[in-house]
Amino acid sequence: WGRDAERGGDVMPVEAWFPTLVFYDDLHVSDATREAALAAIRDAVGEELLATAPRCSAAESPNTLHLDPRLAPLLGDLVPSVGRFLFEVLRCDPRCTDFFIGRCWPVVQNTAGQGELHRHAGALVSAVFYLDAPEGSGGIEFRKPYWSSYDHLVKQELTAVSFSQVTYAAVTNRLLLFASDLFHRALPNTGHLPRPRMAIAFDIYSMTRIDRHEGGLPHVENLKKLFS
């Protein structure tokens, strides 16, 4: 809310009337597919780091997990849901645009882990898929800042009242898709987990040529086409 000196009274930023879109789908994944993906995560992060670090994410592992053959069955299971989000919800025209996974990394969270509020520069859509989320696993929080043109306070300082926020639970076999510029973070686990929360995250790009990879853009050789 803000104050409009000319008209008097309280006013709400117009952005508050436009919802932020977060898509989720609870899927079925076979035990073999899950175990293959978990093995790829363990190799990417390393058993020692998995056992000792409160949290492992993109900074502690390569961002090319999508190129590991062991992840191919899982990504194949996720593609139909990604297609529904892009083509049915967002109404993208598949005849005009190609979509690629450009970066993919493991996200492992132990009892004390919590993510920092961040967004994924350079990508179009980001995703997280929970391979194993034991009871007590921390979910994911999304925050959207109100960039109101007449509210100078919001422009100068982002506070709790400057955000619209929502939290989604971490559920095994749940896929979430959202705009890459949406601020988000992993929430801490509650209590002691019998095993770490294991997930993968990936970024989707809509381009067929990348001349430079700075600023969040992946190397062209790391692009994996989503739809044939």
Side-chain angles (χ1 to χ4, degrees), residues 166-182:
V166 66
T167 299
Y168 283 79
V171 178
T172 300
N173 291 342
R174 174 165 290 180
L175 172 69
L176 290 109
L177 295 153
F178 51 94
S180 297
D181 62 356
L182 184 61

Side-chain angles (χ1 to χ4, degrees), residues 87 91-100 206-208 225:
F87 306 132
R91 307 295 292 176
C92 297
D93 189 340
R95 299 168 300 178
C96 301
T97 308
D98 289 327
F99 293 95
F100 304 85
S206 60
M207 55 190 71
T208 56
K225 194 171 182 180

Side-chain angles (χ1 to χ4, degrees), residues 38-133:
L38 290 174
I41 290 176
R42 294 187 188 100
D43 288 348
V45 176
E47 293 291 348
E48 181 178 356
L49 195 58
L50 283 175
T52 59
R55 189 171 186 271
C56 304
S57 189
E60 294 81 24
S61 63
N63 293 338
T64 54
L65 198 62
H66 58 300
L67 304 181
D68 190 317
R70 292 172 292 182
L71 221 69
L74 175 62
L75 294 178
D77 288 344
L78 303 185
V79 164
S81 294
V82 175
R84 283 198 296 275
F85 178 62
L86 292 173
F87 306 132
E88 297 179 18
V89 178
L90 297 184
R91 307 295 292 176
C92 297
D93 189 340
R95 299 168 300 178
C96 301
T97 308
D98 289 327
F99 293 95
F100 304 85
I101 296 179
R103 299 190 303 163
C104 179
W105 60 96
V107 183
V108 181
Q109 188 162 302
N110 290 300
T111 301
Q114 175 173 320
E116 298 292 333
L117 199 63
H118 68 286
R119 55 183 175 175
H120 299 179
L124 176 70
V125 171
S126 294
V128 60
F129 179 76
Y130 296 104
L131 279 159
D132 189 11

